[in-house]
Amino acid sequence: MVVQQYRDGGGARAVRALAAAGVIAVTAGCLGGDGGGAADGSGQRSVAADRPLDLLGQAADVLVEAGGAETRTSMETAAGGTRVTIRGQGAYDFRKQMGRLRVVLPKDPAGKDAAGADGHRPITELLAPGALYMKNRGAGVPDDKWVRIDTTGLKDGNLVTGGVTDPMAAAELLRGAADVTYAGKTELAGVTVHHYRGVADLGRAARAASPQSRGALSAAAKGFSKDAVPFDAYLDEDGRLRKVRHRFTFSSDARGPEVSVVSTLLLYGFGLPVTVTLPDEDAIYTGEIRQG
């Protein structure tokens, strides 16, 4: 297998033109070593190898066409020699950019979760454009109340705050890919996928993102200590994003050590109807949230 690299010296115009033309389908094929892509069984060149920047730039649009999907997430944080992993599972509607997830916090050495309760007490999270709703948040919040967070006001744009990277934001980040390596075909849960490695620029992704995601990604571009976000993305034969792993780096404060976060998103069960009902205003907690 020959690995090829692709740099984008201003491909945003091409991505916009392809978006107007419709969804790109990935053509099956093995990557050749002639530096110009590969041929499938019919002698045609493989789209997966020839146009990775276009495919990644279109990943969010393809998911919108697909509608709903089931999702599993994990977020591993490393700081000061300590690693913790937060896991989530649920469903997401890419057309409405809304989702519902059950997030499990890790236990500390004393057997308590990060919210201070005994055992793994799941947090219910509702994702919506510009907002994150959390129930069973702990920290003094009553059990029957939700906490609402304006994600456009977060320094990370909710790419890491909720313990889950918003699935649409994860896909929109790929619009900022400027340097990509095609690593060939593999299988993921029995599905043939094309593997791409690269680095996404937060500022570029924010400028190219949909209006619903732009505010959060713009906040992240300003708040992270590094605009460059390394990623591994896996697209199936229809161009649908099946898995993506991002590696974020930021500082908790100006003098604090850098924190590394690896966020992984898995998508499956495409076409699933997803219903998300946001809480009424009287269900939103407006009191003080206990810190520490």
Side-chain angles (χ1 to χ4, degrees), residues 155-171:
K155 287 185 177 181
D156 71 299
N158 195 35
L159 293 178
V160 299
T161 289
V164 171
T165 299
D166 183 294
M168 190 63 180

Side-chain angles (χ1 to χ4, degrees), residues 67-83:
E70 295 181 78
T71 181
R72 291 202 307 269
T73 68
S74 70
M75 184 171 288
E76 182 181 273
T77 302
T82 301
R83 290 182 179 273

Side-chain angles (χ1 to χ4, degrees), residues 34 64 87 112 143 162 194 241-242 245 249 273 276 283 290:
D34 62 356
V64 170
R87 302 188 186 278
K112 296 184 177 182
D143 292 346
H194 297 272
L241 185 65
R242 291 280 183 161
R245 178 179 291 115
T249 303
V276 179
R290 187 170 61 243

Side-chain angles (χ1 to χ4, degrees), residues 25-117:
V26 179
T27 302
C30 298
L31 181 60
D34 62 356
D40 61 16
S42 66
Q44 295 179 341
R45 300 165 85 81
S46 169
V47 176
D50 275 349
R51 306 197 315 207
L53 293 169
D54 296 336
L55 289 169
L56 294 171
Q58 283 288 98
D61 299 320
V62 174
L63 290 175
V64 170
E65 290 288 333
E70 295 181 78
T71 181
R72 291 202 307 269
T73 68
S74 70
M75 184 171 288
E76 182 181 273
T77 302
T82 301
R83 290 182 179 273
V84 297
T85 301
I86 300 171
R87 302 188 186 278
Q89 186 167 358
Y92 192 88
D93 186 326
F94 286 94
R95 292 174 183 167
K96 297 180 179 178
Q97 297 194 17
M98 298 177 69
R100 182 184 184 96
L101 295 101
R102 182 176 181 267
V103 178
V104 178
L105 301 174
K107 288 183 179 180
D108 65 18
K112 296 184 177 182
D113 63 26

